[in-house]
């Protein structure tokens, strides 16, 4: 299914230039950082809208790192084009999240078991009526195995995928946590999982806690860059 490439948002002309497994950070500059720090022979493959993507190898295996942008609208576009038109099989989002409980500490690494959302993304995209979508269990199993081999603690949990970062009623999160069992919030995984489900592909989401809605603690962007290294190593090792 490669007759529609290049796509409107990805200027890559051949499916060969993109690996079967793609790591997706939200920030395209983080994709650059990962490529330069971890990949052998990284080649930049996308510049459209500065949504940088790189393909290289890690321990001899071909891998692509590609920015998703923020929010479900953005990751919805990039993950759909990668899955459907570039024959990508696995997308692992590597992102940040806000903690909804005091048990979660800054820099903890989480793996989304599933994503709950009030978003209309899946309903509009495919008519899906549910409000939660699972990550691919097989992918999660392999990620947990990789984390164990690296001795990095990873907690599997349900995350809240939100369309809104700044809510007028800040305390709304307590309701979402208590009613739906979400322990952390981010803004992309529900759309990623919806696309994977519809297209018969695999998706997972690794997250580092960057702030806490309960305690108000936050990390600086520099601290985040360093802390995220752990999570990237887990994703790369699994890939
Ligand atoms: N809200 C939504 N997404 C996030 C947050 C948050 O507090 N922190 C990191 N990603």
């Amino acid at each position: 299914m490669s007759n529609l490439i290049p796509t409107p948002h990805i200027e890559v002309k051949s499916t060969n230039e993109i690996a079967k497994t793609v790591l997706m950070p939200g920030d395209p500059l983080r994709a650059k950082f990962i490529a330069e720090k971890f990949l052998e022979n990284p080649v930049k493959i996308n510049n459209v809208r500065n949504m940088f993507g790189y393909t290289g190898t890690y321990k001899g295996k071909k891998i692509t790192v590609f920015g998703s942008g923020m929010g479900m609208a953005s990751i919805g576009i990039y993950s759909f084009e990668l899955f459907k038109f570039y024959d990508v099989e696995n997308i692992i989002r590597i992102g940040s999240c806000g903690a909804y409980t005091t048990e979660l500490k800054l820099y903890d690494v989480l793996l989304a078991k599933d994503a709950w959302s009030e978003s209309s993304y899946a309903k509009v995209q495919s008519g899906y009526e549910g409000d939660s979508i699972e990550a691919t269990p097989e992918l999660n199993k392999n990620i947990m195995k990789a984390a164990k081999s690296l001795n990095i603690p990873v907690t599997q949990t349900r995350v809240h995928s939100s369309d809104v970062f700044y809510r007028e009623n800040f305390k709304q999160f307590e309701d979402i946590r208590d009613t739906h069992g979400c322990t952390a919030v981010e803004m992309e995984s529900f759309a990623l999982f919806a696309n994977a489900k519809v297209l018969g592909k695999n998706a997972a989401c690794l997250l580092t806690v960057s702030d806490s809605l309960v305690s108000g603690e936050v990390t600086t962007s520099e601290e985040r860059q360093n802390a995220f290294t752990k999570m990237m190593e887990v994703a790369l090792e699994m890939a």
Side-chain angles (χ1 to χ4, degrees), residues 93 96-100 162 164-165 185-188 208 210-211 213:
R93 164 168 149 70
S96 62
C97 64
Y100 276 179
S162 177
V164 179
F165 190 92
V185 58
E186 52 83 68
M187 305 185 75
E188 291 83 14
T208 301
S210 63
D211 54 270
L213 283 85

Side-chain angles (χ1 to χ4, degrees), residues 154-171:
V154 174
T155 307
Q156 279 192 262
T157 187
R158 165 175 277 197
V159 300
H160 174 208
S161 258
S162 177
D163 272 329
V164 179
F165 190 92
Y166 298 107
R167 290 173 188 249
E168 279 299 285
N169 176 9
F170 169 76
K171 286 282 180 190

Side-chain angles (χ1 to χ4, degrees), residues 7-11 18 22-26 28 46-53 66-88 91 121 188 191-192 195 199:
T7 60
H9 308 93
I10 303 175
E11 62 192 335
I18 300 185
V22 177
L23 305 189
M24 290 202 104
N46 195 57
N47 281 299
V48 179
R49 290 177 184 250
N50 286 338
M51 196 57 80
F52 307 132
F66 205 109
S68 71
M70 288 184 286
M72 289 186 244
S74 188
I75 199 170
I77 291 170
Y78 292 106
S79 62
F80 191 90
E81 291 184 8
L82 289 168
F83 279 145
K84 186 159 177 93
F85 304 119
Y86 288 102
D87 300 337
V88 168
I91 295 181
Y121 184 91
E188 291 83 14
L192 172 64
N195 283 344
L199 297 169

Side-chain angles (χ1 to χ4, degrees), residues 14-238:
S14 158
T15 56
N16 287 335
E17 292 175 50
I18 300 185
K20 295 293 171 211
T21 298
V22 177
L23 305 189
M24 290 202 104
D27 181 353
L29 288 178
R30 189 161 291 131
K32 180 172 190 279
F33 172 84
I34 297 167
E36 288 171 354
K37 189 172 162 75
F38 295 103
L39 300 190
E40 299 117 32
N41 308 313
V43 176
K44 196 188 213 187
I45 54 167
N46 195 57
N47 281 299
V48 179
R49 290 177 184 250
N50 286 338
M51 196 57 80
F52 307 132
Y54 295 80
T55 297
T57 58
Y58 182 76
K59 296 187 179 173
K61 198 158 180 289
K62 187 169 161 184
I63 185 140
T64 295
V65 188
F66 205 109
S68 71
M70 288 184 286
M72 289 186 244
S74 188
I75 199 170
I77 291 170
Y78 292 106
S79 62
F80 191 90
E81 291 184 8
L82 289 168
F83 279 145
K84 186 159 177 93
F85 304 119
Y86 288 102
D87 300 337
V88 168
E89 291 298 326
N90 313 298
I91 295 181
I92 303 166
R93 164 168 149 70
I94 43 179
S96 62
C97 64
Y100 276 179
T101 76
T102 49
E103 279 91 73
L104 295 181
K105 306 298 177 203
L106 294 187
Y107 307 120
D108 279 1
V109 181
L110 311 180
L111 179 64
K113 198 164 51 184
D114 61 357
W116 178 88
S117 188
E118 66 275 80
S119 161
S120 61
Y121 184 91
K123 175 137 200 272
V124 172
Q125 205 280 329
S126 70
Y128 179 75
E129 294 282 355
D131 58 9
S132 70
I133 307 180
E134 261 202 320
T136 306
E138 191 65 21
L139 212 47
N140 276 6
K141 213 166 74 190
N142 291 336
I143 289 169
M144 292 305 285
K145 222 184 328 182
K148 204 167 165 205
S149 78
L150 292 170
N151 237 334
I152 295 171
V154 174
T155 307
Q156 279 192 262
T157 187
R158 165 175 277 197
V159 300
H160 174 208
S161 258
S162 177
D163 272 329
V164 179
F165 190 92
Y166 298 107
R167 290 173 188 249
E168 279 299 285
N169 176 9
F170 169 76
K171 286 282 180 190
Q172 240 176 20
F173 84 85
E174 294 177 344
D175 227 31
I176 292 167
R177 174 193 63 201
D178 299 342
T179 310
H180 302 288
C182 305
T183 63
V185 58
E186 52 83 68
M187 305 185 75
E188 291 83 14
S189 61
F190 184 74
L192 172 64
F193 296 170
N195 283 344
K197 185 178 167 69
V198 154
L199 297 169
K201 306 280 183 160
N202 308 309
C205 175
L206 269 165
L207 299 164
T208 301
V209 176
S210 63
D211 54 270
S212 171
L213 283 85
V214 194
S215 71
E217 293 171 286
V218 293
T219 55
T220 66
S221 58
E222 197 185 327
E223 289 169 329
R224 279 204 297 273
Q225 187 79 280
N226 296 327
F228 285 172
T229 303
K230 274 200 298 189
M231 178 176 63
M232 288 167 202
E233 281 168 346
V234 172
L236 285 164
E237 187 63 27
M238 182 266 142

